[in-house]
Amino acid sequence: MRQRSFKYRFYPTSEQEILLRRTMGCARLVYNRALAARTEAWYERSERVGYPETSTMLTSWKKQEDLQFLNDVSSVPLQQGLRHLQTAFTNFFAGRAKYPNFKKKHNGGNAEFTKAAFKFRDGQIFLAKSPTPLAIRWSRQLPQDAEPSTITVKLSPSGRWTVSILVDVEICILPESTSSIGIDLGITSLVALSTGEKIANPKGFKTKKAKLRKAQKTLSRRQKGSNNRAQARRKVAKIHAEISDARNDFLHKLTTRLVRENQTIAVEDLTVKNMVKNKKLAFSISDASWSELIRQLEYKCDWYGRTFVKIDRWFPSSKRCGHCGYIVEKLPLNVREWDCPKCSTHHDRDINASKNILAAGLAVSVCGANIRPNRFESKGQLRKTSNGEVAPVLAVSVDGGLPNPEGKKQKPKS
């Protein structure tokens, strides 16, 4: 059994909207107060405040005269907000995320309800303190006999109401396939496949750039705090929502197709966070959404029993000749086709890279090599063996040559 969320749009009544907005406002207030208390305790008294302490604070806040409105909403979303804050601090201390930020009203809001705060009866959802069910637009049915464990109601900045239902489902493994594929990510072509196919980048943000710029200029002219500014802000948010929806739709269709057709999928382990520091390419890289594409491939391969391999980011997939294994010293980004100086084979840069990624991915999956080596391993220096000993790193050979401890190719013995 796996947990899977199903997201739907719904249209609340005026009473439900008032209650939900009030609940989200209270959850935002509690989250921000707890974040301020934890920050103050650390910087002023060097004390660490965790979830139990903030939960006690919430109890005391509800007794204050100026915070009596916290008792008018369900306590579950408030407690869930404190748990999410604890998770944010855990990720921060582990180095996986930045320091938590305060939530802002104009960014929309969300409220999470666990089983104690909702009822799922006859295919309808009743939230706490609301006698009427949510008017959900069921674009697809929930799995049969599925029982929701968590329900998250979200209001986007564009004014769209959505509900995300988390259920435990049994996901069927896809029939085994004999094909494998290597994927090279790019900008002009979003992906180049080792089969020779190139899939163009839809460039969702670029297609809406002029429309978005006009809406943002209108927003900048509106007086702060006015209703006209609020309307202009929602218009900008709607354009951003259109861009996001188009991008996600394209990526889901593409990744689902690749997972269905191939048993093994190999990609490069790219550090997008560092790549977007290049000011000339940051816009195009962000618009391509490489990280989301890789994330979808990874979890879908896990769901449907496929093999997903990430190749070391230092592997010279573009510079290596897929025919003889020769590695050129320099290959600028503007060079899209090149001839191997050794065997004179003509290469398309992206297709050649995808073929090398596939070959390296198959070698990794068969040999069980470390697909994410550390800084020393990627430079061909040292690695740890299975028994904990330190040994030289053997370079992966794509063309059949034998690797040696220095990472240089040797000719096969006759």
Side-chain angles (χ1 to χ4, degrees):
M1 299 292 288
R2 294 180 181 272
Q3 286 190 328
R4 184 174 179 180
S5 64
F6 293 82
K7 191 174 182 180
Y8 305 93
R9 287 198 66 176
F10 76 97
Y11 302 89
T13 62
S14 57
E15 294 80 6
Q16 289 175 337
E17 184 172 353
I18 293 173
L19 176 62
L20 289 174
R21 285 184 180 272
R22 186 178 299 170
T23 302
M24 292 176 183
C26 292
R28 181 172 56 250
L29 172 66
V30 170
Y31 182 95
N32 290 341
R33 275 181 169 256
L35 175 56
R38 295 182 67 153
T39 304
E40 180 183 355
W42 174 253
Y43 283 104
E44 293 187 0
R45 301 184 298 274
S46 298
E47 296 179 0
R48 280 199 175 185
V49 177
Y51 167 74
E53 291 80 8
T54 55
S55 181
T56 304
M57 292 178 187
L58 176 59
T59 304
S60 64
W61 292 339
K62 288 184 175 181
K63 297 178 182 179
Q64 297 179 13
E65 186 176 354
D66 58 335
L67 296 176
Q68 285 296 310
F69 57 85
L70 294 177
N71 297 294
D72 297 337
V73 301
S74 173
S75 62
V76 173
L78 309 185
Q79 292 288 350
Q80 290 299 103
L82 296 180
R83 291 189 176 93
H84 292 323
L85 179 61
Q86 178 63 36
T87 303
F89 271 101
T90 302
N91 292 333
F92 167 72
F93 289 121
R96 293 189 295 267
K98 295 182 179 180
Y99 195 82
N101 293 323
F102 291 99
K103 293 187 176 182
K104 298 180 180 180
K105 182 178 180 180
H106 64 258
N107 289 338
N110 61 77
E112 186 175 293
F113 299 82
T114 57
K115 283 188 175 181
F118 73 88
K119 291 182 180 179
F120 183 69
R121 185 171 62 241
D122 299 331
Q124 293 182 320
I125 295 176
F126 297 81
L127 298 179
K129 298 185 180 292
S130 178
T132 56
L134 297 180
I136 299 176
R137 183 180 178 184
W138 297 99
S139 55
R140 52 177 174 168
Q141 291 298 319
L142 289 174
Q144 192 173 6
D145 300 329
E147 285 294 331
S149 58
T150 303
I151 288 177
T152 303
V153 177
K154 182 178 180 180
L155 172 62
S156 67
S158 61
R160 179 190 300 176
W161 289 92
T162 57
V163 56
S164 182
I165 305 173
L166 186 66
V167 298
D168 293 328
V169 296
E170 188 71 33
I171 299 179
C172 299
I173 303 297
L174 291 174
E176 188 170 348
S177 175
T178 57
S179 59
S180 302
I181 200 166
I183 300 176
D184 179 64
L185 303 177
I187 294 176
T188 304
S189 298
L190 180 61
V191 294
L193 308 180
S194 55
T195 56
E197 180 185 359
K198 287 186 177 182
I199 299 175
N201 184 1
K203 298 182 180 179
F205 191 92
K206 194 171 183 179
T207 57
K208 298 281 186 178
K209 186 177 180 180
K211 184 179 180 181
L212 179 62
R213 182 184 178 186
K214 183 178 179 181
Q216 287 176 330
K217 287 178 70 175
T218 303
L219 173 63
S220 66
R221 297 191 185 104
R222 297 293 182 257
Q223 184 178 356
K224 291 186 177 179
S226 65
N227 290 334
N228 286 338
R229 185 176 178 87
Q231 281 186 343
R233 182 192 57 77
R234 281 194 295 270
K235 187 173 182 180
V236 171
K238 286 180 180 180
I239 298 174
H240 279 292
E242 291 174 5
I243 296 170
S244 178
D245 292 343
R247 181 185 292 130
N248 287 332
D249 180 69
F250 178 82
L251 291 179
H252 274 294
K253 290 177 179 178
L254 174 60
T255 53
T256 300
R257 173 204 151 189
L258 294 176
V259 170
R260 284 177 176 174
E261 294 177 353
N262 302 281
Q263 183 65 32
T264 302
I265 298 177
V267 298
E268 284 182 301
D269 182 21
L270 300 175
T271 52
V272 179
K273 183 173 67 173
N274 294 335
M275 297 175 72
V276 294
K277 293 178 181 179
N278 185 335
K279 295 182 180 180
K280 294 182 179 180
L281 297 176
F283 176 85
S284 299
I285 292 174
S286 300
D287 193 15
S289 193
W290 291 341
S291 297
E292 176 63 14
L293 191 149
I294 294 175
R295 186 191 72 86
Q296 290 185 16
L297 283 174
E298 189 168 8
Y299 83 76
K300 289 180 182 181
C301 285
D302 180 51
W303 278 4
Y304 299 112
R306 301 309 200 197
T307 303
F308 182 76
V309 183
K310 282 185 179 179
I311 305 303
D312 177 22
R313 66 193 61 165
W314 301 110
F315 177 70
S317 58
S318 299
K319 297 180 180 180
R320 178 187 290 267
C321 173
H323 185 262
C324 68
Y326 181 82
I327 300 177
V328 296
E329 293 184 3
K330 293 183 179 180
L331 194 64
L333 287 175
N334 61 340
V335 179
R336 309 315 302 173
E337 296 182 0
W338 59 283
D339 295 319
C340 177
K342 186 176 181 180
C343 65
S344 302
T345 304
H346 183 74
H347 293 294
D348 179 285
R349 179 193 182 107
D350 299 333
I351 300 298
N352 176 65
S354 62
K355 291 180 179 179
N356 286 330
I357 291 171
L358 173 60
L362 293 176
V364 167
S365 61
V366 172
C367 302
N370 187 4
I371 61 175
R372 302 189 71 179
N374 60 28
R375 179 169 59 89
F376 298 101
E377 295 175 7
S378 60
K379 293 182 179 180
Q381 296 178 19
L382 298 175
R383 67 178 176 88
K384 285 187 178 181
T385 59
S386 58
N387 56 6
E389 298 179 356
V390 177
V393 176
L394 300 182
V396 177
S397 177
V398 181
D399 60 333
L402 300 178
N404 63 9
E406 287 75 26
K408 298 178 181 179
K409 280 198 326 177
Q410 293 178 344
K411 293 182 179 180
K413 296 181 179 179
S414 56

